[in-house]
Amino acid sequence: MSGILDSVNLRTQMVGQNRLELLLFALETDQQYGINVFKVREVLQCPELTEVPRQTSAIKGMAHIRGETIPVLDLSEAIGRQTVPHEQRQDCFLIVAEYNRRTLAFLVRKVDRILNTQWDQIMAPPTEIGVENYLTAIFEYESKLIEILDVEQILADLYPMATEVSKDVADDTVREKARDYQILIVDDSSVARNQMQRSLEGLGIKVTSCNNGRMAWDLLRDMADRGTDVTTHFLMVISDIEMPEMDGYTLTSMIREDERMSNMHVVLHTSLSGGFNVSMVKKVGADGFLAKFNPDDLATAVVQRIQQVEK
């Protein structure tokens, strides 16, 4: 166990194209869950938590870690399972992670190991289970299914985010021009897609959405095969990086390698943090990078693209 905990900081500095490293953990059962190591700052034994007065959500308190006060989320309770009893917290672990410009610590029962795999081995959950759940992907390992939680949906339920774009970001002239354009957004998280769609449609722009990079690539390729100029059909592509079947880096690389769409304007939009994003954006040929989720930042990128096209 100590080897896993000691290696997390080192692994979060590693960069691999289309490569995924999952930190496996468990809650109150033997079911294993996975979190992308690139989102993990560190893992540690759960310390004594500072309680929050009148706290009614799954946030169980605050932990003072390396000079920073970090809220602690009981992940079991957040997904509708049993709460970790207070007296059992000392046997649990905190996974300190960064999502959507927030640093949180997830309280989990057990941390297992780190698995190295590829994004094309990660599958979207079956559609038959519906959309009212916190599952965003699954991965088969040693004849067992590892579940990857939609942490963005969990956090959106805890911290509802505004999606309205400030009026000073886009004036009436830009909003009028926006009605002539369409954007392709790509994200495996339904909450992220909905957030982006509400913000962009608030500008007046039309939106097409895909659940992962593979679906987006199939759409673009099929349109190009039918003779559609996708570079004029879509003003731009805004894609998540972490997605089952095909990640955003791979999607961008494939777009750049196809001469029919190599000039497509692509912006990567992700909750991943760290300086490696800048270098990877350049490496795969993306036109820009946006950290999730700020409606004004998203709208600004779109407005700048409209202005660029209108010149």
Side-chain angles (χ1 to χ4, degrees), residues 119-181:
W119 274 110
D120 58 9
Q121 299 300 308
I122 307 297
M123 297 292 106
T127 56
E128 289 77 10
I129 67 172
V131 295
E132 297 297 324
N133 60 74
Y134 288 126
L135 187 62
T136 190
I138 55 176
F139 171 58
E140 185 174 355
Y141 179 72
E142 295 182 345
S143 301
K144 294 182 179 180
L145 285 181
I146 295 169
E147 298 182 346
I148 300 177
L149 296 174
D150 189 348
V151 177
E152 292 179 39
Q153 179 67 65
I154 295 171
L155 296 182
D157 287 347
L158 285 173
Y159 307 106
M161 299 184 69
T163 58
E164 185 175 353
V165 176
S166 301
K167 292 184 178 179
D168 57 352
V169 172
D171 58 25
D172 291 340
T173 301
V174 172
R175 291 174 185 267
E176 184 66 30
K177 291 178 179 178
R179 297 176 183 176
D180 297 329
Y181 295 102

Side-chain angles (χ1 to χ4, degrees), residues 78-261:
I79 65 172
R81 306 287 178 80
Q82 293 183 351
T83 303
V84 175
H86 186 281
E87 64 274 11
Q88 295 180 15
R89 289 179 186 168
Q90 71 272 14
D91 298 322
C92 298
F93 296 89
L94 297 185
I95 300 176
V96 182
E98 297 182 18
Y99 276 88
N100 297 359
R101 309 186 188 200
R102 285 194 178 94
T103 300
L104 300 99
F106 301 127
L107 179 67
V108 302
R109 291 280 190 171
K110 182 173 67 173
V111 175
D112 189 0
R113 72 188 86 174
I114 291 175
L115 288 182
N116 194 325
T117 185
Q118 300 288 325
W119 274 110
D120 58 9
Q121 299 300 308
I122 307 297
M123 297 292 106
T127 56
E128 289 77 10
I129 67 172
V131 295
E132 297 297 324
N133 60 74
Y134 288 126
L135 187 62
T136 190
I138 55 176
F139 171 58
E140 185 174 355
Y141 179 72
E142 295 182 345
S143 301
K144 294 182 179 180
L145 285 181
I146 295 169
E147 298 182 346
I148 300 177
L149 296 174
D150 189 348
V151 177
E152 292 179 39
Q153 179 67 65
I154 295 171
L155 296 182
D157 287 347
L158 285 173
Y159 307 106
M161 299 184 69
T163 58
E164 185 175 353
V165 176
S166 301
K167 292 184 178 179
D168 57 352
V169 172
D171 58 25
D172 291 340
T173 301
V174 172
R175 291 174 185 267
E176 184 66 30
K177 291 178 179 178
R179 297 176 183 176
D180 297 329
Y181 295 102
Q182 185 169 186
I183 288 177
L184 175 62
I185 60 174
V186 190
D187 203 299
D188 64 311
S189 171
S190 60
V191 67
R193 292 195 306 274
N194 290 335
Q195 287 172 340
M196 286 190 286
Q197 187 158 346
R198 287 195 296 269
S199 296
L200 295 175
E201 289 180 344
L203 287 178
I205 203 161
K206 295 180 285 293
V207 175
T208 297
S209 64
C210 290
N211 295 3
N212 58 59
R214 173 63 63 187
M215 185 182 295
W217 171 247
D218 289 344
L219 172 66
L220 291 172
R221 183 190 57 194
D222 290 347
M223 290 177 66
D225 288 345
R226 294 195 302 269
T228 301
D229 183 352
V230 295
T231 64
T232 58
H233 186 88
F234 293 114
L235 174 70
M236 60 196 299
V237 175
I238 302 176
S239 176
D240 187 20
I241 291 177
E242 290 188 290
M243 293 179 290
E245 300 189 47
M246 181 187 292
D247 68 8
Y249 292 139
T250 305
L251 172 62
T252 305
S253 295
M254 295 183 73
I255 288 173
R256 292 290 177 254
E257 291 168 3
D258 190 316
E259 62 181 11
R260 300 171 299 177
M261 60 188 81

